[in-house]
Amino acid sequence: MEKIFQHPVVIKEIDFDQLGHINNVVYLQWVQDVAEAHWLSISNKPVLEQYFWVALRHEIDYLKEIKPGEEILAETYVHSMEGVKSQRFTTIKSKQNQVKAKARTFWCLLNAETRRPQRIPQELKELFIEV
């Protein structure tokens, strides 16, 4: 079972493009930010010194417009971990639970010392997914 992590999103005036929409790059940054916040929230110093994640692929579906002044929340969870890869889902939604965007991202675990892909150890899997 997945462990859901929530993170508030701070919208800045610069996040809106000339059409008054949140720029696509901003959504990607939010997906990255919530993934990093999740990782930092469940890791300790030895884990952070030993491993880090790199993005392999991002897929984002833009579903509803975000209007100026809306309060937004990002929710994320790791769906699967196999070998060196992880699949994560993120939902960007209003505080009223209206889904604004959904993302699926693929990540690769790297050994911090060698900077090479490393098989995801069981103890890391247990941080993200109830087994």
Side-chain angles (χ1 to χ4, degrees), residues 2-10 30-31 33-42 72-78 88-99 128:
E2 297 93 2
K3 298 177 184 179
I4 296 175
F5 176 79
Q6 294 184 328
H7 185 68
V9 172
V10 177
W30 293 343
V31 169
D33 290 348
V34 70
E36 181 179 13
H38 186 200
W39 171 238
L40 293 174
S41 77
I42 62 174
I72 301 297
L73 183 68
E75 287 185 345
T76 192
Y77 64 90
V78 172
R88 173 185 289 276
F89 288 95
T90 301
T91 303
I92 307 293
K93 63 184 189 174
S94 69
K95 293 278 180 152
Q96 294 74 35
N97 265 345
Q98 184 182 51
V99 176
F128 290 102

Side-chain angles (χ1 to χ4, degrees), residues 38-65:
H38 186 200
W39 171 238
L40 293 174
S41 77
I42 62 174
S43 302
N44 57 33
K45 188 174 179 176
V47 168
L48 292 171
E49 290 173 350
Q50 189 172 2
Y51 307 107
F52 65 94
W53 296 94
V54 293
L56 298 174
R57 178 185 175 111
H58 297 288
E59 299 172 3
I60 303 176
D61 293 319
Y62 307 97
L63 304 171
K64 299 264 185 203
E65 179 181 9

Side-chain angles (χ1 to χ4, degrees), residues 4-21:
I4 296 175
F5 176 79
Q6 294 184 328
H7 185 68
V9 172
V10 177
I11 301 175
K12 299 178 280 260
E13 188 175 320
I14 196 168
D15 294 339
F16 290 91
D17 62 19
Q18 66 272 22
L19 299 174
H21 298 103

Side-chain angles (χ1 to χ4, degrees), residues 68-87:
E70 279 193 276
E71 292 186 48
I72 301 297
L73 183 68
E75 287 185 345
T76 192
Y77 64 90
V78 172
H79 176 70
S80 62
M81 297 180 128
E82 295 182 25
V84 300
K85 295 180 183 177
S86 169
Q87 181 179 196

